[in-house]
């Protein structure tokens, strides 16, 4: 056996065994010996993704797809790398190309379905996952992913069928049980409580199952009005997830302090002109999706979803391997940001959204952390912060199980940690208002649902938009909904969620005391 075939064989062997550092070593040796062979850049690109270094994988996988333009699996991995680096529009285009190549293996279809979901292309995601389920009908993850995409498209009945099929295949597939609980409001005549109760003791040593099953039970008890039982299951479920997130309070407090120190006054530099973006920010679970659908019901407004473009663009300009928010030197380095370039880069990254309408909504709630950067880089952009009663906000965050792959939501695994995070949010928003007066329009959720027309008129005036009656009929908005409990935001605006905290008043005493001692007004 010659040296080249032997090296190729060893690379394939390491790749198949998931020996990622070894893959990088062998791919580095093979590349100069066979520069026209796509194997080395492809496998090295995948290895970097597995080692959580997707930025390094993008260029390698682009080379691989250039050398092998007819490989759907290569294109799918390239799309995945682009999505992981938050280049979602590019990822979708590459995924489209991969689909035209007729992917025939389950892994490639699964990868493409996930990429489409991340890029908010839910119709294409449904198509990819339907093909996948046809190939592997007894694969629970495939069924679950199809259900997720169907829910986003508003087909709850089909989603429920897929989720039930999923738990028949694997009764311990906890996240499917949680999604079934969230798919609709449970009733005394129709719920899953007994099934969930029976499943809990079957998985005592499986943290994921305990987390999801407890959260599902909590949601169902909440719907049924048994709030004491609901809170106990929220507590049990969240305590499982909190074990590896014990340092989040100190980290988050440092972030809030760092951001305030970075903007003692508005920067002197000028940003990039452009009034297309409307940022909807605020604490999660405060109604930002409802606000987004109300505004995007206007013919001049397009909902682009929860974009990662601003944080990603800012991080690229900021440079370095340390996340901007975690960098102790942020207050000093923020003084040297090129605001005009940052604004121009963001507008370039979001140009595909701007083509849909005169304005587009960037609805990433946690952009409240970046509000000072947004105001400085995009002087014409509109920033709307949705506020909700502090106890409803904290309870809503504690009751919800957020995406676990990000540290953004670590606070939500403990009720008092959630209260501490709210205090940091409240103080940061007060800081932004002082430094950038008039740039952020704050609206109360309670006003949005109780005095909808008057509040919406104020919102449209702030955005420079003419009145349109469609904004009072957001339930007719047919756009996909990439949020849990999607059925709620497809319903007419209702007031049932106002003052939800009162149902849990007996369990919220310590939280209320914490907020009041921090100076947060409760009543």
């Amino acid at each position: 056996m010659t040296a080249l075939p032997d090296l190729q064989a060893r690379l394939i062997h390491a790749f198949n065994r998931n020996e990622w550092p070894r893959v990088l070593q062998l791919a580095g040796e093979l590349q100069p010996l066979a520069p026209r062979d796509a194997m080395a850049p492809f496998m090295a690109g995948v290895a970097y993704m597995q080692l959580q270094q997707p930025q390094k994988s993008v260029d390698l996988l682009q080379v691989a797809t250039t050398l092998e333009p007819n490989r759907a699996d290569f294109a799918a991995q390239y799309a995945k790398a682009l999505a992981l680096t938050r280049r979602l529009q590019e990822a979708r285009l590459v995924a489209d190309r991969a689909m035209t190549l007729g992917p025939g293996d389950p892994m490639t279809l699964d990868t493409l379905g996930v990429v489409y979901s991340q890029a908010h292309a839910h119709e294409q995601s449904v198509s990819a996952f339907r093909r996948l389920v046809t190939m592997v009908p007894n694969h629970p993850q495939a069924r679950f992913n199809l259900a997720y995409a169907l829910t986003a498209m508003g087909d709850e009945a089909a989603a429920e069928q897929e989720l039930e099929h999923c738990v028949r295949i694997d009764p311990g597939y906890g996240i499917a049980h949680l999604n079934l609980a969230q798919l609709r409001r449970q009733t005394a005549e129709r719920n899953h409580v007994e099934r969930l109760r029976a499943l809990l003791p079957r998985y005592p040593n499986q943290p994921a199952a305990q987390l999801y099953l407890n959260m599902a039970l909590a949601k169902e008890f909440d719907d049924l009005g048994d709030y004491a039982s609901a809170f106990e299951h929220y507590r049990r479920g969240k305590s499982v997830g909190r074990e590896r997130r014990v340092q989040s309070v100190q980290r988050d407090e440092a972030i809030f302090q760092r951001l305030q120190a970075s903007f003692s006054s508005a920067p002197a530099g000028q940003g990039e002109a452009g009034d297309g973006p409307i940022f909807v920010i605020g604490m999660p679970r405060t109604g930002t999706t409802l606000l987004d659908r109300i505004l995007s019901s206007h013919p001049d407004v397009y909902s682009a979803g929860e974009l990662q473009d601003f944080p990603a663009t800012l991080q690229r300009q900021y440079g370095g391997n340390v996340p901007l928010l975690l960098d102790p030197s942020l207050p000093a380095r923020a003084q040297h940001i090129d605001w005009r370039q940052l604004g121009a880069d963001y507008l370039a990254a979001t140009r595909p959204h701007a083509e849909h309408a005169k304005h587009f909504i960037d609805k990433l709630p946690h952009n409240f952390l970046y509000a000072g950067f947004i105001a400085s880089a995009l002087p014409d952009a509109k920033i709307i912060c949705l506020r909700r009663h502090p106890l409803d906000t904290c309870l809503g965050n504690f009751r919800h199980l957020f995406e676990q792959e990000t540290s953004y939501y670590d606070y939500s695994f403990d009720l008092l940690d959630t209260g501490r995070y709210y205090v940091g949010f409240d103080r940061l928003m007060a800081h932004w208002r002082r430094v950038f007066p008039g740039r952020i329009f704050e609206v109360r959720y309670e006003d949005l649902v109780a005095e909808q027309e008057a509040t919406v008129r104020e919102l449209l005036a702030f955005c420079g938009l003419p009145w349109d009656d469609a904004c009072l009929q957001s339930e007719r908005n047919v756009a996909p909904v990439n949020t849990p409990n999607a059925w709620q935001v497809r319903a007419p605006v209702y007031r049932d969620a106002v003052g939800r905290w009162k149902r849990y008043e007996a369990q919220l005493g310590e939280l209320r005391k914490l907020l009041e001692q921090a100076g947060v007004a409760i009543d």
Side-chain angles (χ1 to χ4, degrees), residues 62-113:
Q62 182 180 32
V63 170
T65 56
T66 300
L67 294 171
E68 291 282 0
N70 295 319
R71 290 284 298 265
D73 54 341
F74 283 22
Q77 292 298 319
Y78 181 32
K80 178 180 178 180
L82 288 166
L84 287 171
T85 56
R86 313 316 301 172
R87 294 161 64 177
L88 295 177
Q89 292 301 313
E90 295 173 73
R92 178 176 175 175
L93 293 174
V94 174
D96 288 343
R97 189 170 80 236
M99 288 296 286
T100 65
L101 296 173
D105 65 285
M107 182 179 293
T108 298
L109 280 170
D110 182 67
T111 299
L112 292 171

Side-chain angles (χ1 to χ4, degrees), residues 107-165:
M107 182 179 293
T108 298
L109 280 170
D110 182 67
T111 299
L112 292 171
V114 171
V115 168
Y116 279 128
S117 178
Q118 292 171 330
H120 309 294
H122 297 293
E123 186 174 354
Q124 291 80 359
S125 183
V126 167
S127 177
F129 285 129
R130 281 199 191 281
R131 290 176 59 181
L132 175 60
V133 165
T134 301
M135 284 186 190
V136 286
N138 293 319
H139 194 287
Q141 181 72 48
R143 294 279 181 179
F144 176 81
N145 286 343
L146 175 56
Y148 184 90
L150 288 165
T151 302
M153 290 299 297
D155 194 346
E156 285 88 0
E160 186 169 18
Q161 289 180 358
E162 294 301 329
L163 290 169
E164 288 290 355
H165 202 130

Side-chain angles (χ1 to χ4, degrees), residues 1-13:
M1 182 178 286
T2 63
L4 183 59
D6 177 63
L7 186 57
Q8 291 172 326
R10 285 188 285 135
L11 174 58
I12 293 171
H13 180 72

